[in-house]
């Protein structure tokens, strides 16, 4: 199976692990990731303003490139996923916005949100199936207690993201179970780590992140997994004393394709 | 911009109808930045509705929203307060020389582990 893949700026820099393990585990599953040619940064955060057009064009270009190849568009980073999915939604549902974008791009074929956008997690659940994932596990993570950290970007706004129940998600917990480990459910798993406020107000990010780490640990988590480089950064920076890793790394470990000397 | 026009502009670019708000305060109760904000999400809604936007324009609260969309998802009336915060903030930073974050400022905030995502997101939020 071939899919279009949007890695995003962070996966080519600080989050190389997220990219590398996505490729490796996709290979195990027989999925060929075809990187969008000359993709541009999604901008990291979606502006909800209706008249904000230029900043959404990089997402439209990626969506359109996938459409031309007749492929779904796969993201991994929560940030890219949120921006691209929200952009696709307005291209589908806001005629005025879509017309402006199509006129601006001045290409013959208009784009109206036709592409299916999957986060890699959704590809694993909805296209490949967690049963198939389970079959590919050679190194079950038996006994590991793992807390899924969703944060905001995968789940909200839920009318657009439609990944899972925004207040009681289970997609990552189900993945953890498929890998043979034990999911730890805790209340703050869908609350914000502070996100980009880490840049100019790190104290505020610290408060947000500490709430999450404490809550996960109090419920017995020995490890936290995430799909978001910024969540990972905030949790580690603000005192996580349990490992915080990308879900793709865990997947690679269970599939036996993580090598000892891997790392930045 | 005169306040009447400003209100129209904010309502138009946000797509929010502040009149739908029943002032239950749930958006504020769920907002992770509640402590940092002088004007809370439900106050944004009320102040925009009543045209009392001036104080918001000068408030640090504009830059404390995390775009977490908790208020958007959890508002029982579908008001989507975060979209108003974004619209008011844009009406400020779109003015000449009003970028909150300047390229020259970045170096002082960086540390070696910070992901690119943090920097591009902050730029998108704090600058035009
Ligand atoms: S949650 Fe919705 S209805 Fe309640 S105060 Fe906030 S905006 Fe108004
Ligand atoms: S989107 Fe902004 S205003 Fe709304 S709950 Fe999150 S931080 Fe608060």
């Amino acid at each position: 199976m071939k899919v279009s893949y949007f890695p995003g700026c962070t996966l080519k820099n600080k989050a190389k692990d997220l990219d590398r393990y996505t490729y490796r585990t996709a290979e195990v599953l027989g999925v060929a990731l075809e990187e969008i040619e000359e993709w541009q940064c999604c901008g990291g955060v979606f502006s909800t303003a209706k008249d904000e057009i230029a900043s959404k064009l990089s997402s439209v270009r990626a969506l359109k490139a996938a459409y031309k190849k007749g492929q779904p568009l796969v993201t991994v980073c929560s940030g890219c996923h949120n921006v691209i999915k929200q952009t696709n939604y307005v291209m589908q549902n806001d005629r005025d916005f879509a017309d402006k974008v199509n006129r601006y791009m001045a290409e013959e074929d208009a784009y109206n949100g036709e592409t299916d956008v999957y986060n890699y997690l959704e590809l694993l659940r909805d296209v490949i199936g967690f049963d198939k994932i389970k079959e590919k596990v050679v190194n079950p993570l038996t006994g590991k207690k793992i807390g899924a950290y969703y944060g905001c970007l995968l789940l909200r706004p839920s009318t657009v993201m439609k990944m899972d129940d925004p207040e009681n998600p289970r997609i990552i917990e189900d993945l953890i179970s498929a890998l043979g480990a034990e999911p730890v459910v805790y209340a703050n798993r869908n609350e914000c780590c502070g996100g980009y406020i880490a840049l100019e107000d790190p104290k505020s990010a610290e408060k947000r992140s500490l709430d999450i780490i404490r809550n996960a640990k109090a419920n017995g988590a020995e490890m936290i997994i995430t799909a978001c480089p910024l969540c990972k950064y905030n949790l580690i920076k603000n005192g996580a004393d349990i490992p915080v890793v990308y879900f793709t790394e865990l997947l690679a470990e269970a599939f036996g394709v993580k090598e000892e000397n891997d790392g930045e | 911009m005169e306040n009447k026009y400003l209100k129209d502009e904010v309502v138009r670019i946000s797509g929010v109808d502040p009149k739908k708000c029943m002032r239950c305060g749930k958006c504020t109760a769920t907002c992770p930045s509640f402590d940092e904000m002088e004007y809370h999400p439900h106050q944004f809604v009320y102040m925009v509705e009543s045209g009392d936007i001036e104080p918001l324009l000068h408030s640090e609260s504009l830059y404390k929203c995390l775009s977490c969309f908790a208020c958007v998802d959890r508002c029982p009336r579908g008001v989507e307060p975060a979209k108003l915060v974004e619209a008011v903030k844009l009406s400020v930073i779109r003015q000449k020389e009003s970028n909150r974050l300047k390229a020259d400022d970045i170096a002082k905030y960086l540390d070696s582990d910070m992901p690119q995502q943090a920097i591009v997101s902050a730029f998108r939020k704090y600058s035009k």
Side-chain angles (χ1 to χ4, degrees):
Chain A
M1 170 190 197
K2 288 179 180 168
V3 299
S4 288
Y5 172 52
F6 185 94
C9 63
T10 310
L11 274 73
K12 296 297 175 188
N13 290 286
K14 292 290 177 201
K16 288 202 177 82
D17 276 351
L18 193 48
D19 186 53
R20 163 169 48 219
Y21 294 130
T22 302
Y23 270 105
R24 268 192 219 171
T25 54
E27 201 184 328
V28 173
L29 296 164
V31 177
L33 303 172
E34 299 187 349
E35 202 165 304
I36 299 276
E37 278 173 38
E38 294 178 15
W39 56 265
Q40 297 158 318
C41 172
C42 72
V45 56
F46 179 81
S47 173
T48 52
K50 287 173 170 294
D51 63 346
E52 186 73 26
I53 290 180
S55 61
K56 291 163 190 159
L57 294 176
S58 63
S59 295
V60 176
R61 287 197 190 96
L63 287 157
K64 202 167 173 177
Y67 179 53
K68 283 186 177 159
K69 291 172 86 176
Q71 295 174 343
L73 181 60
V74 175
T75 61
V76 193
C77 167
S78 307
C80 300
H81 184 64
N82 190 281
V83 173
I84 291 175
K85 188 116 183 185
Q86 293 214 62
T87 303
N88 208 33
Y89 185 85
V90 290
M91 290 302 287
Q92 286 164 1
N93 295 294
D94 185 339
R95 274 285 45 87
D96 183 48
F97 178 84
D99 286 348
K100 281 189 184 130
V101 168
N102 281 318
R103 272 203 303 280
Y104 185 92
M105 292 178 82
E107 290 172 16
E108 268 173 29
D109 44 341
Y111 178 75
N112 293 299
E114 290 88 347
T115 301
D116 287 326
V117 183
Y118 294 109
N119 182 268
Y120 191 47
L121 282 164
E122 293 170 304
L123 191 83
L124 298 176
R125 179 190 63 189
D126 302 335
V127 179
I128 295 166
F130 285 149
D131 288 350
K132 174 97 181 283
I133 306 287
K134 209 169 173 177
E135 286 168 20
K136 297 282 182 188
V137 171
V138 296
N139 184 14
L141 308 172
T142 317
K144 272 198 182 159
K145 293 194 164 83
I146 303 174
Y149 178 53
Y150 291 87
C152 323
L153 297 167
L154 292 176
L155 300 170
R156 292 189 291 265
S158 56
T159 46
V160 177
M161 301 312 291
K162 295 195 176 83
M163 177 182 277
D164 209 337
D165 178 342
E167 301 304 342
N168 195 17
R170 54 178 292 181
I171 180 168
I172 306 182
E173 282 81 4
D174 288 348
L175 176 66
I176 294 169
S177 300
L179 303 182
E182 191 183 316
V184 174
V185 174
Y186 60 103
N188 282 4
R189 69 202 204 280
N190 61 345
E191 300 299 338
C192 185
C193 68
Y196 51 78
I197 205 142
L199 198 78
E200 66 155 33
D201 185 2
K203 277 268 161 256
S204 165
E206 183 181 15
K207 278 189 251 169
R208 305 281 75 78
S209 294
L210 277 175
D211 281 350
I212 293 152
I213 299 163
R214 288 194 189 117
N215 186 234
K217 283 178 60 185
N219 285 275
E222 297 160 356
M223 176 190 266
I224 292 174
I225 61 171
T226 172
C228 183
L230 188 47
C231 294
K232 184 176 183 220
Y233 167 84
N234 273 332
L235 296 186
I236 292 175
K237 189 85 197 168
N238 295 306
D241 48 1
I242 53 176
V244 182
V245 304
Y246 295 122
F247 74 98
T248 51
E249 183 173 342
L250 205 68
L251 195 61
E253 193 182 332
F255 285 178
V257 292
K258 184 182 162 189
E259 286 153 23
E260 277 311 307
N261 57 0
D262 278 349
E264 294 295 307
Chain B
M1 214 185 299
E2 270 181 55
N3 265 347
K4 159 137 182 27
Y5 296 114
L6 186 54
K7 178 184 170 182
D8 291 348
E9 164 91 351
V10 163
V11 166
R12 185 179 61 79
I13 71 172
S14 66
V16 167
D17 178 4
K19 289 196 296 297
K20 287 200 297 190
C21 174
M22 61 181 184
R23 302 194 194 136
C24 66
K26 199 171 174 193
C27 50
T28 291
T30 198
C31 176
S33 257
F34 169 83
D35 283 350
E36 330 291 331
M37 289 171 120
E38 151 195 24
Y39 299 109
H40 300 135
H42 78 281
Q43 289 169 296
F44 266 86
V45 179
Y46 179 66
M47 290 165 81
V48 171
E49 192 198 340
S50 53
D52 186 21
I53 303 180
E54 188 66 23
L56 298 175
L57 302 178
H58 309 290
S59 172
E60 276 290 295
S61 308
L62 290 178
Y63 310 102
K64 298 300 177 186
C65 169
L66 309 170
S67 301
C68 77
F69 295 108
C71 59
V72 170
D73 250 41
R74 293 168 186 162
C75 164
R77 304 273 294 167
V79 175
E80 308 187 310
K83 294 185 176 180
L84 281 182
V85 181
E86 173 76 1
V88 177
K89 183 213 68 186
L90 283 174
S91 71
V92 174
I93 63 169
R94 280 175 177 171
Q95 295 173 70
K96 194 176 170 204
E97 290 174 5
S98 300
N99 282 337
R100 162 83 166 188
L101 188 65
K102 301 184 181 62
D104 292 346
D105 297 338
I106 291 287
K108 72 171 183 271
Y109 293 127
L110 282 188
D111 69 50
S112 59
D113 299 321
M114 192 172 271
Q116 285 68 28
Q117 184 190 1
I119 305 158
V120 296
S121 299
F123 258 114
R124 178 63 55 81
K125 286 303 284 191
Y126 303 142
S127 301
K128 54 187 162 280

